Amino acid sequence: MKRILAGVLSALISVAAAAALPEAAHAVPERVIILRHGEKKNDYALCSIGEERAKALAAQYLSRDHAKTLFAHQPPVAFMSITLHTLELVSPSAGKWGIPVDDVSVMPEPRRDDPKFVEKLNQRTQEAAHEVLTDPRWNGRTVVMVWEHHHIADAKMEKQFPGEEVTLRQLLNLDKLKDVPKTWPNANYDYFWIVDYGDPKSDVPTAFHMVKQAFEPPYNTLPSNDWGAPEVFPPGSDCEHRK
């Protein structure tokens, strides 16, 4: 009798597990909004312009009710960050919504090009992308990912790790869409990538478009350079210059 009961219980568990798998595999958000951290002062903090950009985003594009809000369709369910810079940028916006940041921060190494540091960023990016595409809490919702730009899209880095997906472009299946840039330019801090998953049974996106940040007063003096164009800082700026 014990063997029979054990067999029945095992079969029921197997059936339940099998039934749960499709749901987990297709628990995709309706929309993922990707942006880069703000302008940096050093490896640990944003500069004054980056700090101002964080405030501007919370007041306008990532706000509750501004005319430029990206959440007119539905409110965000999660804000994610990977480095100190991305955490600093997104915290004011997440605070306005009362949502804790889902932070997978990787601390800066003495040398930011240290292979171990890059490998940590690879791993955290892979873990975060998997969570975004499988977490049932976010199924059909809007998720915001504030990321390090090389791990958003970087053709050179993708070649550096053959056979391994290391960018959001790869991991979120953006590379299956023809209009997605292969590299995020070093000098651009002022764009959103908006990715829509129109088929709730698939983790392949159905639409992609870019939105340039063009703030209204009092934040209208923030740099707003075109995609691939250099960013111009005011004289005396404490920001790192990226070409």
Side-chain angles (χ1 to χ4, degrees), residues 177-220:
L177 301 180
K178 64 178 182 178
D179 296 328
V180 180
K182 294 183 178 180
T183 296
W184 189 293
N186 285 336
N188 281 113
Y189 298 85
D190 58 331
Y191 275 80
F192 300 98
W193 282 11
I194 299 180
V195 186
D196 291 327
Y197 293 84
D199 182 355
K201 295 183 179 180
S202 174
D203 60 5
V204 176
T206 54
F208 167 86
H209 64 284
M210 299 199 302
V211 173
K212 182 180 178 182
Q213 297 172 14
F215 294 102
E216 296 182 356
Y219 303 107
N220 54 310

Side-chain angles (χ1 to χ4, degrees), residues 15-28 133-134 139 200-202:
V15 171
L21 283 176
E23 181 179 355
H26 301 303
V28 295
L133 295 180
T134 62
N139 190 29
K201 295 183 179 180
S202 174

